[in-house]
Amino acid sequence: IALNMDIGKFKSIGFIGGGNFGKVFRVLDTLLNVERAIKIIQVKNAQEFIDAINEAQILEKCRHNHIVDIKEIDVYQISGNDFPCITTEYLKNGSAQGYLDKNFVTTKKAIQIITDVLFGLEQAHNQGIFHRDIKPGNILFADNGQAKLSDFGLAYGLSHQSFDFVGYNSHLPPEVLEGVTQDAISDLYSMGITFHRLLNNLKTLDLPFADDTEWLKALKKEKYPIRKYQPHIPEQVIKIAKKAIKADRNSRFLNCLQFRQALQKIPLAVEWFPIDKDSWNGNLSKETFELNLYSKRTGYFIDFKRNGRKVKDKCCEQIADEATAREEFFKIIRETTIKV
């Protein structure tokens, strides 16, 4: 598909990205003179794909502030072939995956993104619609910075094709590998893996297994993904992240509300981000914070500054070794992320 090509009433004006099942273009609706995003999907049976989505009334049931707005679903002829096309609002700020690729995701940002999309997912679940493919690439940012879940229809339509569609492999819970149909609880597990990745700033999550048996074993023993969290993340947050991806589905959050309320109960104070390995800066409303680790002849020192002034009771002096100093450094970050 070339730029400036016509797709029905749309003219393609930019390429956004592509996945396993199709490509996404930025298009102009020539009748309404508005920009949209259009996903052109490659499946064997175009009409069957559209019918499945229409029958489920995805467009009507998935209208929510935290769900990317689907404008229409139709079959268009492109280069003599029929393709199902999903047209949505165009969101210029990109995805959580794009953000993760280029920026440091703070603890606060990770919590905010997941809280936002849990609102949208709750709406869909209440209507009996499951997403089946939750991952950072399917979370987009609106102009006001809020996160929205995208690709509801795609996963649904694909799951009604003749082949067996399951979502982003490394985000699947153990029960799906064992043949349990994807449902609300498996969606929440994928949301938990997404949270785990955002918190830890994991751009990718690869599957290092020779076969499904090995993979399933690792999932059941909670050895994949490795339950290791970066040192700046507070214990309260880690506890929620771990609960969301328990191997035993009955030990996880059983609905969006439980997961969301657990996140909303976390009091958040300073939003910290690294400048380099020995310096972090932070913000809390209009206040600024700095934390610096350095060594002198007499040991290691940590300076904590609030609005450019040292806060004595949060500074440390003459720590004997670097490991202890680093532990203390991140302990201060963890504590002030919650309360300052």
Side-chain angles (χ1 to χ4, degrees), residues 280-309:
W280 284 55
N281 285 1
N283 300 305
L284 173 57
S285 51
K286 288 181 178 163
E287 295 194 282
T288 59
F289 296 83
E290 294 165 61
L291 195 65
N292 294 301
L293 170 68
Y294 57 96
S295 65
K296 290 194 343 205
R297 206 167 35 83
T298 52
Y300 288 87
F301 293 72
I302 297 169
D303 284 352
F304 182 100
K305 290 180 183 173
R306 185 174 191 157
N307 302 322
R309 298 169 75 153

mmCIF file of all heavy atoms in Angstrom, residues 280-309:
data_model
loop_
_atom_site.group_PDB
_atom_site.id
_atom_site.type_symbol
_atom_site.label_atom_id
_atom_site.label_comp_id
_atom_site.label_asym_id
_atom_site.label_seq_id
_atom_site.Cartn_x
_atom_site.Cartn_y
_atom_site.Cartn_z
ATOM 1 N N TRP A 280 19.740 10.993 40.657
ATOM 2 C CA TRP A 280 18.325 10.932 40.252
ATOM 3 C C TRP A 280 17.679 12.271 40.581
ATOM 4 O O TRP A 280 18.024 12.901 41.591
ATOM 5 C CB TRP A 280 17.594 9.806 41.000
ATOM 6 C CG TRP A 280 17.896 8.424 40.494
ATOM 7 C CD1 TRP A 280 19.134 7.858 40.360
ATOM 8 C CD2 TRP A 280 16.960 7.429 40.063
ATOM 9 N NE1 TRP A 280 19.023 6.560 39.871
ATOM 10 C CE2 TRP A 280 17.694 6.283 39.691
ATOM 11 C CE3 TRP A 280 15.566 7.396 39.969
ATOM 12 C CZ2 TRP A 280 17.080 5.109 39.220
ATOM 13 C CZ3 TRP A 280 14.950 6.238 39.507
ATOM 14 C CH2 TRP A 280 15.700 5.113 39.134
ATOM 15 N N ASN A 281 16.761 12.696 39.736
ATOM 16 C CA ASN A 281 15.971 13.897 40.011
ATOM 17 C C ASN A 281 14.515 13.505 40.188
ATOM 18 O O ASN A 281 14.073 12.466 39.664
ATOM 19 C CB ASN A 281 16.083 14.901 38.858
ATOM 20 C CG ASN A 281 17.428 15.607 38.853
ATOM 21 O OD1 ASN A 281 18.278 15.338 39.701
ATOM 22 N ND2 ASN A 281 17.635 16.497 37.893
ATOM 23 N N GLY A 282 13.772 14.342 40.889
ATOM 24 C CA GLY A 282 12.365 14.038 41.104
ATOM 25 C C GLY A 282 11.499 15.279 41.140
ATOM 26 O O GLY A 282 11.989 16.391 41.337
ATOM 27 N N ASN A 283 10.200 15.075 40.938
ATOM 28 C CA ASN A 283 9.228 16.171 40.995
ATOM 29 C C ASN A 283 8.039 15.774 41.857
ATOM 30 O O ASN A 283 7.645 14.615 41.870
ATOM 31 C CB ASN A 283 8.688 16.484 39.585
ATOM 32 C CG ASN A 283 9.798 16.887 38.644
ATOM 33 O OD1 ASN A 283 10.547 17.799 38.911
ATOM 34 N ND2 ASN A 283 9.916 16.160 37.531
ATOM 35 N N LEU A 284 7.494 16.745 42.536
ATOM 36 C CA LEU A 284 6.229 16.557 43.255
ATOM 37 C C LEU A 284 5.518 17.895 43.194
ATOM 38 O O LEU A 284 5.989 18.879 43.767
ATOM 39 C CB LEU A 284 6.476 16.139 44.709
ATOM 40 C CG LEU A 284 5.245 16.075 45.618
ATOM 41 C CD1 LEU A 284 4.191 15.131 45.064
ATOM 42 C CD2 LEU A 284 5.627 15.642 47.022
ATOM 43 N N SER A 285 4.413 17.951 42.478
ATOM 44 C CA SER A 285 3.734 19.201 42.107
ATOM 45 C C SER A 285 4.774 20.232 41.663
ATOM 46 O O SER A 285 5.464 19.997 40.689
ATOM 47 C CB SER A 285 2.757 19.692 43.175
ATOM 48 O OG SER A 285 3.377 19.736 44.441
ATOM 49 N N LYS A 286 4.981 21.323 42.393
ATOM 50 C CA LYS A 286 5.929 22.330 41.888
ATOM 51 C C LYS A 286 7.312 22.221 42.526
ATOM 52 O O LYS A 286 8.189 23.052 42.285
ATOM 53 C CB LYS A 286 5.356 23.736 42.086
ATOM 54 C CG LYS A 286 4.207 24.006 41.129
ATOM 55 C CD LYS A 286 3.635 25.393 41.268
ATOM 56 C CE LYS A 286 2.530 25.607 40.241
ATOM 57 N NZ LYS A 286 1.681 26.737 40.569
ATOM 58 N N GLU A 287 7.498 21.200 43.332
ATOM 59 C CA GLU A 287 8.787 21.049 44.021
ATOM 60 C C GLU A 287 9.735 20.156 43.222
ATOM 61 O O GLU A 287 9.299 19.251 42.520
ATOM 62 C CB GLU A 287 8.569 20.436 45.407
ATOM 63 C CG GLU A 287 7.773 21.325 46.337
ATOM 64 C CD GLU A 287 7.875 20.834 47.767
ATOM 65 O OE1 GLU A 287 7.188 19.853 48.092
ATOM 66 O OE2 GLU A 287 8.665 21.414 48.532
ATOM 67 N N THR A 288 11.041 20.423 43.379
ATOM 68 C CA THR A 288 12.035 19.586 42.712
ATOM 69 C C THR A 288 12.928 18.914 43.756
ATOM 70 O O THR A 288 13.169 19.482 44.838
ATOM 71 C CB THR A 288 12.921 20.411 41.754
ATOM 72 O OG1 THR A 288 13.579 21.429 42.518
ATOM 73 C CG2 THR A 288 12.097 21.044 40.643
ATOM 74 N N PHE A 289 13.402 17.729 43.416
ATOM 75 C CA PHE A 289 14.241 16.952 44.337
ATOM 76 C C PHE A 289 15.467 16.437 43.584
ATOM 77 O O PHE A 289 15.399 16.170 42.388
ATOM 78 C CB PHE A 289 13.452 15.764 44.895
ATOM 79 C CG PHE A 289 12.277 16.168 45.734
ATOM 80 C CD1 PHE A 289 11.052 16.509 45.143
ATOM 81 C CD2 PHE A 289 12.382 16.231 47.115
ATOM 82 C CE1 PHE A 289 9.966 16.911 45.915
ATOM 83 C CE2 PHE A 289 11.293 16.627 47.895
ATOM 84 C CZ PHE A 289 10.087 16.966 47.298
ATOM 85 N N GLU A 290 16.562 16.316 44.310
ATOM 86 C CA GLU A 290 17.784 15.744 43.724
ATOM 87 C C GLU A 290 18.394 14.783 44.725
ATOM 88 O O GLU A 290 18.407 15.051 45.931
ATOM 89 C CB GLU A 290 18.822 16.834 43.448
ATOM 90 C CG GLU A 290 18.465 17.846 42.384
ATOM 91 C CD GLU A 290 19.380 19.059 42.476
ATOM 92 O OE1 GLU A 290 20.607 18.885 42.317
ATOM 93 O OE2 GLU A 290 18.867 20.164 42.747
ATOM 94 N N LEU A 291 18.912 13.660 44.216
ATOM 95 C CA LEU A 291 19.615 12.701 45.067
ATOM 96 C C LEU A 291 20.929 12.361 44.382
ATOM 97 O O LEU A 291 20.940 11.952 43.215
ATOM 98 C CB LEU A 291 18.754 11.450 45.260
ATOM 99 C CG LEU A 291 19.182 10.509 46.394
ATOM 100 C CD1 LEU A 291 19.045 11.182 47.755
ATOM 101 C CD2 LEU A 291 18.360 9.218 46.384
ATOM 102 N N ASN A 292 22.035 12.583 45.094
ATOM 103 C CA ASN A 292 23.363 12.335 44.511
ATOM 104 C C ASN A 292 24.203 11.458 45.422
ATOM 105 O O ASN A 292 24.238 11.663 46.639
ATOM 106 C CB ASN A 292 24.102 13.660 44.290
ATOM 107 C CG ASN A 292 23.415 14.503 43.233
ATOM 108 O OD1 ASN A 292 23.261 14.071 42.101
ATOM 109 N ND2 ASN A 292 22.969 15.693 43.618
ATOM 110 N N LEU A 293 24.877 10.500 44.795
ATOM 111 C CA LEU A 293 25.786 9.605 45.511
ATOM 112 C C LEU A 293 27.208 9.908 45.030
ATOM 113 O O LEU A 293 27.442 9.991 43.823
ATOM 114 C CB LEU A 293 25.413 8.149 45.205
ATOM 115 C CG LEU A 293 26.365 7.049 45.667
ATOM 116 C CD1 LEU A 293 26.384 6.944 47.175
ATOM 117 C CD2 LEU A 293 25.969 5.707 45.063
ATOM 118 N N TYR A 294 28.128 10.113 45.968
ATOM 119 C CA TYR A 294 29.516 10.373 45.563
ATOM 120 C C TYR A 294 30.467 9.848 46.636
ATOM 121 O O TYR A 294 30.051 9.577 47.770
ATOM 122 C CB TYR A 294 29.748 11.877 45.314
ATOM 123 C CG TYR A 294 29.418 12.767 46.494
ATOM 124 C CD1 TYR A 294 30.418 13.185 47.374
ATOM 125 C CD2 TYR A 294 28.104 13.193 46.714
ATOM 126 C CE1 TYR A 294 30.103 13.995 48.461
ATOM 127 C CE2 TYR A 294 27.788 14.000 47.798
ATOM 128 C CZ TYR A 294 28.800 14.398 48.669
ATOM 129 O OH TYR A 294 28.490 15.193 49.753
ATOM 130 N N SER A 295 31.740 9.678 46.254
ATOM 131 C CA SER A 295 32.700 9.162 47.232
ATOM 132 C C SER A 295 33.783 10.196 47.512
ATOM 133 O O SER A 295 34.159 10.981 46.646
ATOM 134 C CB SER A 295 33.320 7.868 46.735
ATOM 135 O OG SER A 295 34.090 8.116 45.587
ATOM 136 N N LYS A 296 34.259 10.171 48.771
ATOM 137 C CA LYS A 296 35.395 11.008 49.169
ATOM 138 C C LYS A 296 36.379 10.059 49.863
ATOM 139 O O LYS A 296 36.114 8.873 50.001
ATOM 140 C CB LYS A 296 34.927 12.119 50.135
ATOM 141 C CG LYS A 296 34.093 13.125 49.384
ATOM 142 C CD LYS A 296 33.768 14.455 49.984
ATOM 143 C CE LYS A 296 33.812 14.988 51.289
ATOM 144 N NZ LYS A 296 32.905 16.104 51.548
ATOM 145 N N ARG A 297 37.461 10.621 50.321
ATOM 146 C CA ARG A 297 38.484 9.791 50.966
ATOM 147 C C ARG A 297 37.922 9.032 52.172
ATOM 148 O O ARG A 297 38.307 7.911 52.465
ATOM 149 C CB ARG A 297 39.633 10.713 51.407
ATOM 150 C CG ARG A 297 40.985 10.057 51.522
ATOM 151 C CD ARG A 297 42.087 11.101 51.642
ATOM 152 N NE ARG A 297 41.640 12.289 52.418
ATOM 153 C CZ ARG A 297 41.641 12.345 53.743
ATOM 154 N NH1 ARG A 297 42.044 11.310 54.458
ATOM 155 N NH2 ARG A 297 41.219 13.435 54.372
ATOM 156 N N THR A 298 36.935 9.648 52.848
ATOM 157 C CA THR A 298 36.422 9.056 54.093
ATOM 158 C C THR A 298 35.210 8.141 53.886
ATOM 159 O O THR A 298 34.592 7.704 54.851
ATOM 160 C CB THR A 298 36.024 10.178 55.081
ATOM 161 O OG1 THR A 298 35.155 11.080 54.381
ATOM 162 C CG2 THR A 298 37.222 10.937 55.578
ATOM 163 N N GLY A 299 34.835 7.900 52.635
ATOM 164 C CA GLY A 299 33.705 6.995 52.388
ATOM 165 C C GLY A 299 32.726 7.545 51.363
ATOM 166 O O GLY A 299 33.059 8.444 50.582
ATOM 167 N N TYR A 300 31.525 6.993 51.396
ATOM 168 C CA TYR A 300 30.488 7.397 50.419
ATOM 169 C C TYR A 300 29.483 8.340 51.081
ATOM 170 O O TYR A 300 29.151 8.195 52.258
ATOM 171 C CB TYR A 300 29.773 6.152 49.873
ATOM 172 C CG TYR A 300 30.659 5.361 48.947
ATOM 173 C CD1 TYR A 300 31.527 4.393 49.443
ATOM 174 C CD2 TYR A 300 30.636 5.588 47.567
ATOM 175 C CE1 TYR A 300 32.356 3.670 48.587
ATOM 176 C CE2 TYR A 300 31.462 4.876 46.708
ATOM 177 C CZ TYR A 300 32.329 3.920 47.228
ATOM 178 O OH TYR A 300 33.152 3.226 46.386
ATOM 179 N N PHE A 301 29.000 9.283 50.272
ATOM 180 C CA PHE A 301 28.068 10.296 50.774
ATOM 181 C C PHE A 301 26.823 10.348 49.885
ATOM 182 O O PHE A 301 26.924 10.122 48.678
ATOM 183 C CB PHE A 301 28.740 11.676 50.765
ATOM 184 C CG PHE A 301 29.870 11.803 51.755
ATOM 185 C CD1 PHE A 301 31.086 11.148 51.531
ATOM 186 C CD2 PHE A 301 29.717 12.556 52.902
ATOM 187 C CE1 PHE A 301 32.131 11.254 52.435
ATOM 188 C CE2 PHE A 301 30.765 12.673 53.817
ATOM 189 C CZ PHE A 301 31.974 12.020 53.589
ATOM 190 N N ILE A 302 25.683 10.653 50.499
ATOM 191 C CA ILE A 302 24.446 10.842 49.723
ATOM 192 C C ILE A 302 23.868 12.204 50.098
ATOM 193 O O ILE A 302 23.654 12.500 51.284
ATOM 194 C CB ILE A 302 23.405 9.735 50.019
ATOM 195 C CG1 ILE A 302 23.941 8.359 49.587
ATOM 196 C CG2 ILE A 302 22.081 10.026 49.286
ATOM 197 C CD1 ILE A 302 23.106 7.176 50.067
ATOM 198 N N ASP A 303 23.639 13.037 49.073
ATOM 199 C CA ASP A 303 23.008 14.344 49.297
ATOM 200 C C ASP A 303 21.573 14.312 48.797
ATOM 201 O O ASP A 303 21.322 13.902 47.666
ATOM 202 C CB ASP A 303 23.759 15.449 48.532
ATOM 203 C CG ASP A 303 25.059 15.837 49.219
ATOM 204 O OD1 ASP A 303 25.285 15.358 50.341
ATOM 205 O OD2 ASP A 303 25.842 16.597 48.605
ATOM 206 N N PHE A 304 20.654 14.750 49.646
ATOM 207 C CA PHE A 304 19.237 14.847 49.272
ATOM 208 C C PHE A 304 18.884 16.328 49.273
ATOM 209 O O PHE A 304 19.044 17.012 50.280
ATOM 210 C CB PHE A 304 18.388 14.088 50.297
ATOM 211 C CG PHE A 304 16.902 14.072 49.991
ATOM 212 C CD1 PHE A 304 16.306 12.961 49.411
ATOM 213 C CD2 PHE A 304 16.089 15.167 50.302
ATOM 214 C CE1 PHE A 304 14.934 12.940 49.147
ATOM 215 C CE2 PHE A 304 14.720 15.155 50.031
ATOM 216 C CZ PHE A 304 14.152 14.030 49.451
ATOM 217 N N LYS A 305 18.435 16.836 48.124
ATOM 218 C CA LYS A 305 18.063 18.250 48.043
ATOM 219 C C LYS A 305 16.601 18.403 47.662
ATOM 220 O O LYS A 305 16.102 17.676 46.801
ATOM 221 C CB LYS A 305 18.928 18.971 46.998
ATOM 222 C CG LYS A 305 20.373 19.147 47.409
ATOM 223 C CD LYS A 305 21.151 19.870 46.324
ATOM 224 C CE LYS A 305 22.625 19.971 46.702
ATOM 225 N NZ LYS A 305 23.419 20.511 45.583
ATOM 226 N N ARG A 306 15.959 19.357 48.334
ATOM 227 C CA ARG A 306 14.568 19.699 48.029
ATOM 228 C C ARG A 306 14.573 21.161 47.600
ATOM 229 O O ARG A 306 15.026 22.010 48.363
ATOM 230 C CB ARG A 306 13.721 19.503 49.284
ATOM 231 C CG ARG A 306 12.238 19.703 49.071
ATOM 232 C CD ARG A 306 11.493 19.324 50.348
ATOM 233 N NE ARG A 306 10.062 19.237 50.133
ATOM 234 C CZ ARG A 306 9.250 18.531 50.907
ATOM 235 N NH1 ARG A 306 9.711 17.850 51.935
ATOM 236 N NH2 ARG A 306 7.953 18.509 50.661
ATOM 237 N N ASN A 307 14.135 21.429 46.382
ATOM 238 C CA ASN A 307 14.168 22.787 45.829
ATOM 239 C C ASN A 307 15.565 23.408 45.955
ATOM 240 O O ASN A 307 15.718 24.573 46.315
ATOM 241 C CB ASN A 307 13.127 23.685 46.512
ATOM 242 C CG ASN A 307 11.727 23.101 46.352
ATOM 243 O OD1 ASN A 307 11.394 22.549 45.309
ATOM 244 N ND2 ASN A 307 10.918 23.197 47.393
ATOM 245 N N GLY A 308 16.588 22.588 45.697
ATOM 246 C CA GLY A 308 17.971 23.082 45.687
ATOM 247 C C GLY A 308 18.643 23.177 47.041
ATOM 248 O O GLY A 308 19.818 23.509 47.141
ATOM 249 N N ARG A 309 17.901 22.870 48.125
ATOM 250 C CA ARG A 309 18.501 22.968 49.467
ATOM 251 C C ARG A 309 18.624 21.579 50.093
ATOM 252 O O ARG A 309 17.710 20.777 50.009
ATOM 253 C CB ARG A 309 17.638 23.856 50.356
ATOM 254 C CG ARG A 309 17.542 25.276 49.822
ATOM 255 C CD ARG A 309 16.483 26.050 50.553
ATOM 256 N NE ARG A 309 16.953 26.428 51.892
ATOM 257 C CZ ARG A 309 16.504 27.491 52.534
ATOM 258 N NH1 ARG A 309 15.588 28.271 51.988
ATOM 259 N NH2 ARG A 309 16.949 27.778 53.731
#
